[in-house]
Amino acid sequence: MHPVISYVQHPPLQDLYRAFMDGFSDYMIRFDMNEAQFEAVFLVRDQNQPTRSVVAYTDGRPVAVMLSGVAHLDTGWVTRCGGLAVAPDYRHLGIAHELMRQFDEQATGKRLLEVIQGNDPALALYDRLGYRVVREIMYFQSVPTETNATREPAPILELFDTYYPAAGHTPIWQVDVRTTQQQTELVRVREGETSGALLFRGSLLLDVFGRDEDAEWLLRAAAAEEPIRLTLTSDRPALLSAARQLGFVQDEIAQFEMIKPGIET
């Protein structure tokens, strides 16, 4: 006999956390965090909004969660599913499908999510729901580099006034300062007539702004002072090629970014 499942939008924080930890307890990536860390990363930094998120309950127990956030960019509204998880004992009951139905129902504009490559059940679900892969997301660790480029801090407003508007790429949600809340540092780099900019959060390189032909030079400048981690996408082949030529080490874990067109409301 199937358990009775109820769904609550804007549930208590402790239920979001408990459902998230139970649902991801056997995930490919180990999440080891307390409730405060969960809130700081998934709600504050990544801007998943509790008012848009849903928890599934049975007998008063939170057994599944859908995290969601929304933002308005130059291209219009984007609503992101920032996490979908069902506790192991409650899978194959249609809960994930219902959570995604509610996500789609409340979403504004384009729907967006990321899924780890190799998570075939999730990929199959999203495919059935009309989501399509648009690019891959890959993670790298730098090796020591040398550069003659100079680095100087730049006002963060330049990111919004100059670099984002002129960029020929769309950052993924997790590194886009327009969609997330992060303490970041914008750095201008220059060597002779060659210039660009780097966006950091600590030792994590969030974004790179510059010409494709300068990709290797930019990554050399980024990694010259200390080891860095960086996120790259398949729609920026010059940076991917440069990272590999420099010997940066790619993580085994990679993701697909998937989208579903939506109607502006």
Side-chain angles (χ1 to χ4, degrees), residues 207-223:
D207 213 335
V208 177
F209 302 93
R211 302 183 306 172
D212 283 351
E213 53 263 44
D214 298 327
E216 185 173 332
W217 174 82
L218 286 160
L219 292 187
R220 283 185 180 277

Side-chain angles (χ1 to χ4, degrees), residues 38-93:
F38 166 78
E39 181 178 11
V41 172
F42 287 94
L43 303 187
V44 177
R45 190 195 72 188
D46 289 353
Q47 287 294 288
N48 290 299
Q49 295 137 18
T51 54
R52 304 185 66 90
S53 300
V54 178
V55 163
Y57 293 85
T58 181
D59 295 327
R61 174 190 169 187
V63 297
V65 64
M66 182 278 295
L67 300 175
S68 176
V70 65
H72 190 272
L73 303 176
D74 297 338
T75 54
W77 286 100
V78 178
T79 307
R80 175 176 178 257
C81 176
L84 178 71
V86 180
D89 292 344
Y90 293 89
R91 293 171 188 164
H92 311 296
L93 299 175

